mmCIF file of all heavy atoms in Angstrom:
data_model
loop_
_atom_site.group_PDB
_atom_site.id
_atom_site.type_symbol
_atom_site.label_atom_id
_atom_site.label_comp_id
_atom_site.label_asym_id
_atom_site.label_seq_id
_atom_site.Cartn_x
_atom_site.Cartn_y
_atom_site.Cartn_z
ATOM 1 N N GLN A 1 73.462 182.569 246.666
ATOM 2 C CA GLN A 1 74.755 182.211 246.228
ATOM 3 C C GLN A 1 75.813 183.001 247.101
ATOM 4 O O GLN A 1 76.866 183.478 246.549
ATOM 5 C CB GLN A 1 75.024 182.481 244.765
ATOM 6 C CG GLN A 1 74.313 181.413 243.883
ATOM 7 C CD GLN A 1 74.551 181.658 242.363
ATOM 8 O OE1 GLN A 1 74.014 182.671 241.775
ATOM 9 N NE2 GLN A 1 75.234 180.789 241.778
ATOM 10 N N THR A 2 75.519 183.135 248.352
ATOM 11 C CA THR A 2 76.475 183.819 249.277
ATOM 12 C C THR A 2 77.561 182.843 249.716
ATOM 13 O O THR A 2 77.369 181.641 249.713
ATOM 14 C CB THR A 2 75.722 184.348 250.481
ATOM 15 O OG1 THR A 2 74.903 183.300 250.961
ATOM 16 C CG2 THR A 2 74.842 185.530 250.101
ATOM 17 N N GLN A 3 78.706 183.370 250.063
ATOM 18 C CA GLN A 3 79.828 182.557 250.487
ATOM 19 C C GLN A 3 79.934 182.432 252.001
ATOM 20 O O GLN A 3 80.528 181.463 252.475
ATOM 21 C CB GLN A 3 81.124 183.182 249.893
ATOM 22 C CG GLN A 3 81.199 183.147 248.385
ATOM 23 C CD GLN A 3 82.494 183.755 247.895
ATOM 24 O OE1 GLN A 3 82.463 184.937 247.500
ATOM 25 N NE2 GLN A 3 83.553 182.982 247.900
ATOM 26 N N ALA A 4 79.336 183.322 252.762
ATOM 27 C CA ALA A 4 79.412 183.246 254.185
ATOM 28 C C ALA A 4 78.319 184.116 254.805
ATOM 29 O O ALA A 4 77.883 185.140 254.278
ATOM 30 C CB ALA A 4 80.772 183.761 254.737
ATOM 31 N N VAL A 5 77.826 183.618 255.934
ATOM 32 C CA VAL A 5 76.796 184.373 256.687
ATOM 33 C C VAL A 5 77.433 185.706 257.282
ATOM 34 O O VAL A 5 78.604 185.735 257.556
ATOM 35 C CB VAL A 5 76.241 183.522 257.833
ATOM 36 C CG1 VAL A 5 77.278 183.052 258.804
ATOM 37 C CG2 VAL A 5 75.123 184.210 258.583
ATOM 38 N N GLY A 6 76.657 186.718 257.419
ATOM 39 C CA GLY A 6 77.118 187.977 257.907
ATOM 40 C C GLY A 6 77.346 187.900 259.405
ATOM 41 O O GLY A 6 76.747 187.061 260.131
ATOM 42 N N LYS A 7 78.194 188.779 259.916
ATOM 43 C CA LYS A 7 78.617 188.675 261.391
ATOM 44 C C LYS A 7 77.439 189.047 262.240
ATOM 45 O O LYS A 7 77.152 188.373 263.244
ATOM 46 C CB LYS A 7 79.768 189.718 261.643
ATOM 47 C CG LYS A 7 81.077 189.301 260.925
ATOM 48 C CD LYS A 7 82.144 190.233 261.201
ATOM 49 C CE LYS A 7 83.448 189.872 260.492
ATOM 50 N NZ LYS A 7 84.574 190.880 260.772
ATOM 51 N N HIS A 8 76.704 190.107 261.971
ATOM 52 C CA HIS A 8 75.547 190.465 262.819
ATOM 53 C C HIS A 8 74.451 189.435 262.770
ATOM 54 O O HIS A 8 73.929 189.079 263.806
ATOM 55 C CB HIS A 8 75.016 191.837 262.429
ATOM 56 C CG HIS A 8 75.872 193.022 262.674
ATOM 57 N ND1 HIS A 8 76.325 193.298 263.992
ATOM 58 C CD2 HIS A 8 76.450 193.935 261.948
ATOM 59 C CE1 HIS A 8 77.166 194.352 264.003
ATOM 60 N NE2 HIS A 8 77.220 194.752 262.722
ATOM 61 N N PRO A 9 74.067 188.944 261.560
ATOM 62 C CA PRO A 9 73.074 187.883 261.544
ATOM 63 C C PRO A 9 73.524 186.629 262.366
ATOM 64 O O PRO A 9 72.700 185.980 263.009
ATOM 65 C CB PRO A 9 72.911 187.554 260.085
ATOM 66 C CG PRO A 9 73.269 188.856 259.400
ATOM 67 C CD PRO A 9 74.369 189.419 260.189
ATOM 68 N N PHE A 10 74.829 186.287 262.219
ATOM 69 C CA PHE A 10 75.243 185.024 262.873
ATOM 70 C C PHE A 10 75.177 185.150 264.396
ATOM 71 O O PHE A 10 74.975 184.082 265.051
ATOM 72 C CB PHE A 10 76.670 184.695 262.451
ATOM 73 C CG PHE A 10 77.137 183.313 262.814
ATOM 74 C CD1 PHE A 10 76.383 182.221 262.355
ATOM 75 C CD2 PHE A 10 78.258 183.108 263.656
ATOM 76 C CE1 PHE A 10 76.757 180.922 262.713
ATOM 77 C CE2 PHE A 10 78.596 181.826 263.998
ATOM 78 C CZ PHE A 10 77.847 180.708 263.510
ATOM 79 N N GLU A 11 75.276 186.325 264.951
ATOM 80 C CA GLU A 11 75.097 186.444 266.387
ATOM 81 C C GLU A 11 73.755 185.876 266.821
ATOM 82 O O GLU A 11 73.563 185.177 267.809
ATOM 83 C CB GLU A 11 75.176 187.928 266.825
ATOM 84 C CG GLU A 11 76.557 188.519 266.793
ATOM 85 C CD GLU A 11 76.560 189.956 267.212
ATOM 86 O OE1 GLU A 11 75.463 190.612 267.198
ATOM 87 O OE2 GLU A 11 77.671 190.447 267.598
ATOM 88 N N VAL A 12 72.727 186.289 266.042
ATOM 89 C CA VAL A 12 71.328 185.808 266.323
ATOM 90 C C VAL A 12 71.185 184.326 265.967
ATOM 91 O O VAL A 12 70.604 183.550 266.793
ATOM 92 C CB VAL A 12 70.324 186.631 265.510
ATOM 93 C CG1 VAL A 12 68.904 186.080 265.671
ATOM 94 C CG2 VAL A 12 70.355 188.094 265.903
ATOM 95 N N ILE A 13 71.659 183.966 264.813
ATOM 96 C CA ILE A 13 71.487 182.563 264.334
ATOM 97 C C ILE A 13 72.159 181.554 265.295
ATOM 98 O O ILE A 13 71.559 180.514 265.711
ATOM 99 C CB ILE A 13 72.044 182.419 262.985
ATOM 100 C CG1 ILE A 13 71.099 183.249 261.930
ATOM 101 C CG2 ILE A 13 72.109 180.996 262.421
ATOM 102 C CD1 ILE A 13 71.823 183.525 260.640
ATOM 103 N N LYS A 14 73.368 181.883 265.705
ATOM 104 C CA LYS A 14 74.118 180.964 266.617
ATOM 105 C C LYS A 14 73.389 180.815 267.952
ATOM 106 O O LYS A 14 73.397 179.709 268.529
ATOM 107 C CB LYS A 14 75.527 181.531 266.857
ATOM 108 C CG LYS A 14 76.382 180.604 267.712
ATOM 109 C CD LYS A 14 77.850 181.116 267.642
ATOM 110 C CE LYS A 14 78.030 182.524 268.208
ATOM 111 N NZ LYS A 14 79.504 182.871 268.289
ATOM 112 N N ALA A 15 72.708 181.871 268.395
ATOM 113 C CA ALA A 15 72.072 181.818 269.709
ATOM 114 C C ALA A 15 70.657 181.282 269.716
ATOM 115 O O ALA A 15 70.261 180.679 270.680
ATOM 116 C CB ALA A 15 72.058 183.254 270.277
ATOM 117 N N HIS A 16 69.961 181.495 268.561
ATOM 118 C CA HIS A 16 68.516 181.271 268.591
ATOM 119 C C HIS A 16 67.914 180.348 267.483
ATOM 120 O O HIS A 16 66.739 180.025 267.589
ATOM 121 C CB HIS A 16 67.797 182.580 268.557
ATOM 122 C CG HIS A 16 68.074 183.459 269.768
ATOM 123 N ND1 HIS A 16 67.740 183.078 271.070
ATOM 124 C CD2 HIS A 16 68.672 184.712 269.852
ATOM 125 C CE1 HIS A 16 68.175 184.049 271.885
ATOM 126 N NE2 HIS A 16 68.739 185.007 271.149
ATOM 127 N N VAL A 17 68.702 180.022 266.456
ATOM 128 C CA VAL A 17 68.195 179.147 265.409
ATOM 129 C C VAL A 17 68.366 177.739 265.730
ATOM 130 O O VAL A 17 69.486 177.284 266.125
ATOM 131 C CB VAL A 17 68.794 179.557 264.048
ATOM 132 C CG1 VAL A 17 68.479 178.492 262.976
ATOM 133 C CG2 VAL A 17 68.289 180.927 263.604
ATOM 134 N N LYS A 18 67.326 176.928 265.617
ATOM 135 C CA LYS A 18 67.404 175.520 265.943
ATOM 136 C C LYS A 18 68.327 174.689 265.056
ATOM 137 O O LYS A 18 69.099 173.898 265.472
ATOM 138 C CB LYS A 18 65.972 174.922 265.912
ATOM 139 C CG LYS A 18 65.895 173.374 266.109
ATOM 140 C CD LYS A 18 66.149 173.060 267.576
ATOM 141 C CE LYS A 18 65.801 171.587 267.853
ATOM 142 N NZ LYS A 18 66.033 171.210 269.286
ATOM 143 N N ASP A 19 68.143 174.957 263.689
ATOM 144 C CA ASP A 19 68.944 174.201 262.749
ATOM 145 C C ASP A 19 68.858 174.830 261.385
ATOM 146 O O ASP A 19 67.975 175.704 261.198
ATOM 147 C CB ASP A 19 68.389 172.776 262.656
ATOM 148 C CG ASP A 19 69.428 171.751 262.056
ATOM 149 O OD1 ASP A 19 70.537 172.153 261.741
ATOM 150 O OD2 ASP A 19 69.047 170.575 261.897
ATOM 151 N N VAL A 20 69.759 174.498 260.512
ATOM 152 C CA VAL A 20 69.717 174.962 259.124
ATOM 153 C C VAL A 20 69.460 173.747 258.224
ATOM 154 O O VAL A 20 70.289 172.785 258.310
ATOM 155 C CB VAL A 20 70.918 175.765 258.695
ATOM 156 C CG1 VAL A 20 70.865 176.123 257.228
ATOM 157 C CG2 VAL A 20 71.121 177.030 259.552
ATOM 158 N N LEU A 21 68.422 173.715 257.490
ATOM 159 C CA LEU A 21 68.083 172.564 256.650
ATOM 160 C C LEU A 21 68.487 172.864 255.218
ATOM 161 O O LEU A 21 68.355 173.990 254.680
ATOM 162 C CB LEU A 21 66.518 172.379 256.633
ATOM 163 C CG LEU A 21 65.924 172.339 258.055
ATOM 164 C CD1 LEU A 21 64.385 172.257 257.909
ATOM 165 C CD2 LEU A 21 66.414 171.158 258.791
ATOM 166 N N THR A 22 69.090 171.847 254.533
ATOM 167 C CA THR A 22 69.539 172.024 253.169
ATOM 168 C C THR A 22 68.650 171.173 252.239
ATOM 169 O O THR A 22 67.984 170.258 252.562
ATOM 170 C CB THR A 22 70.982 171.587 253.001
ATOM 171 O OG1 THR A 22 71.072 170.168 253.299
ATOM 172 C CG2 THR A 22 71.905 172.395 253.845
ATOM 173 N N VAL A 23 68.578 171.753 250.972
ATOM 174 C CA VAL A 23 67.679 171.215 250.003
ATOM 175 C C VAL A 23 68.402 170.998 248.650
ATOM 176 O O VAL A 23 68.993 171.972 248.188
ATOM 177 C CB VAL A 23 66.457 172.137 249.788
ATOM 178 C CG1 VAL A 23 65.387 171.471 248.951
ATOM 179 C CG2 VAL A 23 65.905 172.593 251.100
ATOM 180 N N PRO A 24 68.262 169.872 247.954
ATOM 181 C CA PRO A 24 68.805 169.780 246.627
ATOM 182 C C PRO A 24 68.000 170.579 245.625
ATOM 183 O O PRO A 24 66.816 170.794 245.790
ATOM 184 C CB PRO A 24 68.710 168.272 246.324
ATOM 185 C CG PRO A 24 67.638 167.807 247.242
ATOM 186 C CD PRO A 24 67.634 168.660 248.450
ATOM 187 N N ASP A 25 68.604 171.021 244.584
ATOM 188 C CA ASP A 25 67.897 171.903 243.626
ATOM 189 C C ASP A 25 66.682 171.306 243.021
ATOM 190 O O ASP A 25 65.668 172.048 242.807
ATOM 191 C CB ASP A 25 68.892 172.391 242.533
ATOM 192 C CG ASP A 25 69.788 173.453 242.978
ATOM 193 O OD1 ASP A 25 69.704 173.868 244.103
ATOM 194 O OD2 ASP A 25 70.675 173.901 242.122
ATOM 195 N N PRO A 26 66.654 169.984 242.715
ATOM 196 C CA PRO A 26 65.417 169.427 242.186
ATOM 197 C C PRO A 26 64.233 169.519 243.059
ATOM 198 O O PRO A 26 63.071 169.667 242.613
ATOM 199 C CB PRO A 26 65.774 167.939 241.932
ATOM 200 C CG PRO A 26 67.229 167.925 241.766
ATOM 201 C CD PRO A 26 67.727 168.967 242.625
ATOM 202 N N VAL A 27 64.376 169.558 244.399
ATOM 203 C CA VAL A 27 63.283 169.692 245.316
ATOM 204 C C VAL A 27 62.787 171.221 245.320
ATOM 205 O O VAL A 27 61.589 171.464 245.493
ATOM 206 C CB VAL A 27 63.631 169.255 246.707
ATOM 207 C CG1 VAL A 27 62.500 169.419 247.721
ATOM 208 C CG2 VAL A 27 64.089 167.795 246.730
ATOM 209 N N VAL A 28 63.748 172.085 245.132
ATOM 210 C CA VAL A 28 63.372 173.460 244.958
ATOM 211 C C VAL A 28 62.439 173.663 243.740
ATOM 212 O O VAL A 28 61.413 174.301 243.833
ATOM 213 C CB VAL A 28 64.582 174.363 244.762
ATOM 214 C CG1 VAL A 28 64.219 175.859 244.467
ATOM 215 C CG2 VAL A 28 65.474 174.345 246.080
ATOM 216 N N VAL A 29 62.771 172.954 242.646
ATOM 217 C CA VAL A 29 61.944 173.031 241.464
ATOM 218 C C VAL A 29 60.563 172.406 241.788
ATOM 219 O O VAL A 29 59.521 172.921 241.345
ATOM 220 C CB VAL A 29 62.531 172.297 240.260
ATOM 221 C CG1 VAL A 29 61.612 172.243 239.117
ATOM 222 C CG2 VAL A 29 63.858 173.037 239.884
#
């Protein structure tokens, strides 16, 4: 339940993460 990604993590994520996948809560269950 975070509101924003951290600055240091985003440096890595922006450069090296392929994609961010989202999931509806029922699939989490």
